[in-house]
Amino acid sequence: MKFNQLATEVLEGVGGSHNVVSLVHCATRLRFKLRDSRKAQTAVLKNTPGVIMVVESGGQYQVVIGNEVERVYQPIAAQLDTSSASGENMPPPEKVGLMARLIDTISAIFTPFIGILIAGGVLKGLLSIALALGWTQNQSGTYQILFAASDAMFYFLPIFLGYSACKKFGGNPFVGMAIGGALTHPLMLAAYTASQLPGAQPHHFLGVPVIMINYGSSVIPIIFACWLSSKLERKIHLRLPSAVRNFVTPLACLAVVVPLTFLLIGPAATWLSNLLAQGYELIYSFNSVLAGMLMGALWQVCVMFGIHWGIVPIMMNNLAIVGHDTLIPLLVPAIFGQVGATLGIFLRTTNAQLKGNAASAMAAGICGITEPAVYGITLPNRRAFIFGCVGGAVGAGIVGYFQSAVYSFGFASIFTLAQLIPPSGFDFTVVAAIIGLLVSLTLATTLTWFFGKVRETATIAPQNTARGENDSVMKAETTAAAEFIYSPMNGELKPLEQIDDPIFAGGLLGKGAFIRPSGNQVFSPIDGKIASLFKTFHAIGLESPQGAEILIHVGIDTVKLDGKYFTPFVAEGDEVVRGQLLLEFDAEAIRAAGFSLDTPILVTNSDDFADIILNDGEITQQNTLLLTLIR
């Protein structure tokens, strides 16, 4: 039941079923394509129990769920199927850029079967281990049956791609499968084999010579073929009488697209595939260490924004064209860098709940699913995420130096080690990959353990103690472990994530809260000094004796007023006490000028604190507790 409830909340959060154009899921994410992303309630979704993170990237609205994504996807998909028939007069989906459309297309084509493709790759790796250890022979029936199971998906990849590509392009997916089947048909494979013999005569189609190519395991030709088939299908389907269109449309698509694929699309796409593989090999051979360090450092950033799908076809293309891939091994240290950083948090923290979350995230990360570790553990503790990337860069540089390669497809995980074994048996490239993994894991763990800062749940209960009520209590509570920031104005108190400004809401300038003021004065929230006073007077920076750096920014985009309607009562460098008047502003005039007065109060050096706790309540009064800073 909890997954059905979560599915309902997620669907409401993205704007309802009528706002969804399409939905797919990968190992951890629901990937929505929305008609209007402005209808999505991102702040609400981020705070929904069961949702790890929300990411907008590549034309997709991605809701990160974790390992249980399939159980959330199913009820949402069922609701979408039910509502699709009644979705009349819906506005067209938002237009997105070329790169966003490309990433959306790639992820939609590969996501449906990526799990079984990875399973086949892992099974191939395990069979390689069995051969290397002498547990079986490649002539045995056991080996051949299991090898067929592991290789079938990749060998007949054009058929599977035909289905998902046509579905993505809006065509008949079974026509796509038929085109993929034609490319891998035994007659065509036999013709290709015959064409490689000395003195072989070329094949012709209606007198036009055909360049015979082995399309088994190929990626790009079938995608282009399905795109053309879908275009042709839409052109002719509605122009045919209803009595014959259901078989004449696929007949026309097969009769036109299959020959065109063998004559033109296939050779051109194969040339493009070879060019892509050669281009990657050229970059890799130029400096494999640098290539490794870049991929090891940046892979998790790509995963965070969902743009890693643009790299997946390169991996698969390398395997199809070259027979091996050197890109996947570079990603193993990137994965284990985050695992190591999570282990560092696990060792460093004394919080039982955080330890449990870290242990769970490590288990998923070892299997290649890093979203729980990144979004739940390392990214909130920013240094840990950076140390994970550093470990990934160093480990991947080692892997790149020895040019380790995999011989079957699979996303980077502990199982990739089995896929590194060459057909000839163990060699040092396998050992080098293991060394790179261990270096990445150890370095990230060590750096995080010794130099990371952990945000833990606070144990100090904030008090709404105004100055003069009970100073002795307040002083007793203000220890080295905590610092208190008081409200600089009266008004409505809101979480920072809800402010209508992506820079503030995303915490890029620091954590804190914002106030919708009911007055027109700003008072000092601390005893300290004025560290900065903007020349437009709309923002003031303060520094406390304990080192907290506070920014009060009156309004959104009010810098454009160039100081108009603001009157300061302090100057930069002044010493101030809590409750001292800092600034007055003409609230009515600022609102009349079209500006919001929502005022963020930020701790700009948030990384120096383990946690920043917002006081409870929807209304705040000047000089009452606003934020508790935990060291």
Side-chain angles (χ1 to χ4, degrees):
M1 284 298 294
K2 68 176 182 178
F3 295 108
N4 290 338
Q5 177 64 29
L6 179 56
T8 300
E9 293 174 356
V10 169
L11 192 55
E12 290 175 356
V14 299
S17 58
H18 294 321
N19 196 38
V20 178
V21 176
S22 62
L23 170 64
V24 295
H25 76 87
C26 56
T28 59
R29 307 181 188 202
L30 297 168
R31 296 171 175 269
F32 292 92
K33 187 173 183 180
L34 303 181
R35 296 184 184 278
D36 186 353
S37 60
R38 292 170 297 182
K39 293 182 179 179
Q41 304 173 54
T42 302
V44 174
L45 279 173
K46 285 182 177 179
N47 292 316
T48 299
V51 173
I52 298 175
M53 180 56 69
V54 176
V55 180
E56 291 187 70
S57 179
Q60 295 180 332
Y61 192 87
Q62 303 170 19
V63 182
V64 184
I65 301 295
N67 295 335
E68 302 290 355
V69 65
E70 173 70 22
R71 301 178 71 176
V72 181
Y73 167 82
Q74 292 294 348
I76 295 179
Q79 293 185 55
L80 293 178
D81 290 341
T82 302
S83 63
S84 60
S86 60
E88 299 177 2
N89 301 320
M90 285 292 102
E94 293 179 298
K95 292 183 177 180
V96 295
L98 178 61
M99 181 57 68
R101 291 201 304 271
L102 177 63
I103 293 173
D104 173 63
T105 299
I106 291 171
S107 64
I109 290 173
F110 286 95
T111 294
F113 58 82
I114 203 74
I116 185 64
L117 200 62
I118 293 172
V122 172
L123 183 54
K124 265 191 176 183
L126 295 175
L127 287 173
S128 297
I129 292 176
L131 281 177
L133 297 176
W135 294 347
T136 186
Q137 302 294 322
N138 54 16
Q139 296 87 9
S140 71
T142 301
Y143 174 86
Q144 292 180 357
I145 289 172
L146 290 176
F147 183 83
S150 69
D151 194 52
M153 181 83 181
F154 194 70
Y155 187 82
F156 295 107
L157 187 58
I159 298 177
F160 296 92
L161 284 171
Y163 180 91
S164 60
C166 267
K167 191 172 182 180
K168 172 59 182 175
F169 294 134
N172 185 337
F174 295 101
V175 172
M177 292 181 72
I179 297 171
L183 294 179
T184 55
H185 196 280
L187 280 176
M188 295 297 97
L189 295 179
Y192 164 76
T193 302
S195 69
Q196 304 303 301
L197 299 175
Q201 296 297 314
H203 282 66
H204 292 79
F205 178 80
L206 299 179
V208 180
V210 179
I211 301 173
M212 298 309 299
I213 297 170
N214 183 359
Y215 291 105
S217 306
S218 62
V219 175
I220 298 179
I222 184 62
I223 293 177
F224 279 104
C226 288
W227 175 82
L228 177 62
S229 176
S230 301
K231 289 283 188 183
L232 180 62
E233 181 181 328
R234 286 195 292 272
K235 291 286 186 184
I236 66 177
H237 187 71
L238 295 179
R239 291 177 170 82
L240 294 171
S242 58
V244 299
R245 66 171 57 137
N246 285 339
F247 72 89
V248 173
T249 300
L251 170 64
C253 290
L254 290 175
V256 172
V257 175
V258 171
L260 270 178
T261 302
F262 280 103
L263 289 169
L264 179 62
I265 297 174
T270 301
W271 172 81
L272 181 62
S273 300
N274 289 329
L275 193 65
L276 187 64
Q278 291 167 8
Y280 168 76
E281 290 294 330
L282 182 64
I283 295 172
Y284 186 80
S285 61
F286 174 74
N287 193 322
S288 60
V289 176
L290 180 60
M293 295 186 73
L294 286 174
M295 290 306 302
L298 299 178
W299 176 249
Q300 284 303 145
V301 179
C302 294
V303 172
M304 282 169 52
F305 292 102
I307 60 177
H308 61 299
W309 283 105
I311 303 173
V312 170
I314 298 177
M315 305 172 185
M316 300 180 71
N317 189 65
N318 289 342
L319 286 164
I321 300 299
V322 187
H324 63 267
D325 175 57
T326 54
L327 181 52
I328 294 174
L330 302 180
L331 310 181
V332 176
I335 296 292
F336 277 85
Q338 295 304 317
V339 173
T342 305
L343 176 58
I345 294 291
F346 176 86
L347 296 173
R348 186 179 176 91
T349 184
T350 57
N351 183 282
Q353 182 178 357
L354 184 55
K355 273 187 179 291
N357 292 341
S360 175
M362 280 190 289
I366 290 170
C367 296
I369 308 298
T370 55
E371 279 89 345
V374 170
Y375 291 125
I377 307 296
T378 64
L379 200 57
N381 300 280
R382 299 180 190 179
R383 291 189 184 181
F385 179 76
I386 294 171
F387 292 151
C389 292
V390 170
V394 175
I398 295 171
V399 174
Y401 179 81
F402 292 99
Q403 302 191 355
S404 302
V406 295
Y407 298 86
S408 59
F409 181 78
F411 280 160
S413 70
I414 191 66
F415 303 111
T416 303
L417 298 178
Q419 298 166 246
L420 287 159
I421 303 172
S424 57
F426 281 104
D427 62 18
F428 191 75
T429 61
V430 182
V431 178
I434 296 173
I435 293 173
L437 181 158
L438 293 175
V439 167
S440 173
L441 179 70
T442 304
L443 181 59
T445 301
T446 304
L447 288 174
T448 306
W449 191 2
F450 284 103
F451 304 108
K453 290 196 173 183
V454 183
R455 300 182 186 277
E456 305 188 45
T457 303
T459 56
I460 299 177
Q463 303 288 326
N464 262 329
T465 306
R467 180 180 294 275
E469 290 182 5
N470 195 337
D471 278 353
S472 62
V473 174
M474 185 270 291
K475 289 176 182 177
E477 289 173 337
T478 307
T479 67
E483 187 173 349
F484 301 104
I485 309 301
Y486 292 81
S487 179
M489 58 176 61
N490 301 330
E492 296 179 55
L493 179 60
K494 303 282 187 179
L496 190 61
E497 294 81 4
Q498 296 180 15
I499 197 168
D500 189 20
D501 183 285
I503 301 299
F504 290 130
L508 299 181
L509 298 180
K511 296 184 179 297
F514 80 93
I515 297 173
R516 192 162 290 161
S518 57
N520 66 341
Q521 294 179 315
V522 179
F523 299 89
S524 177
I526 58 171
D527 293 338
K529 69 176 182 179
I530 303 298
S532 61
L533 177 64
F534 286 61
K535 64 180 182 180
T536 52
F537 307 136
H538 73 292
I540 297 177
L542 300 99
E543 184 175 345
S544 75
Q546 294 81 21
E549 298 171 5
I550 312 300
L551 175 66
I552 304 172
H553 191 288
V554 181
I556 305 298
D557 290 333
T558 45
V559 64
K560 296 177 182 178
L561 293 171
D562 199 26
K564 193 176 181 182
Y565 310 131
F566 291 96
T567 304
F569 291 89
V570 291
E572 191 170 313
D574 285 357
E575 297 287 336
V576 294
V577 295
R578 194 179 98 216
Q580 180 178 334
L581 179 63
L582 304 180
L583 178 71
E584 285 186 352
F585 54 91
D586 190 333
E588 292 184 5
I590 293 173
R591 290 192 183 101
F595 293 90
S596 167
L597 273 173
D598 288 352
T599 299
I601 296 91
L602 308 175
V603 181
T604 56
N605 60 335
S606 297
D607 284 347
D608 292 343
F609 297 90
D611 201 1
I612 297 175
I613 302 169
L614 174 62
N615 191 32
D616 294 333
E618 298 180 357
I619 302 296
T620 185
Q621 298 292 324
Q622 182 264 323
N623 209 22
T624 58
L625 188 65
L626 182 73
L627 301 170
T628 302
L629 315 185
I630 307 298
R631 292 188 181 276

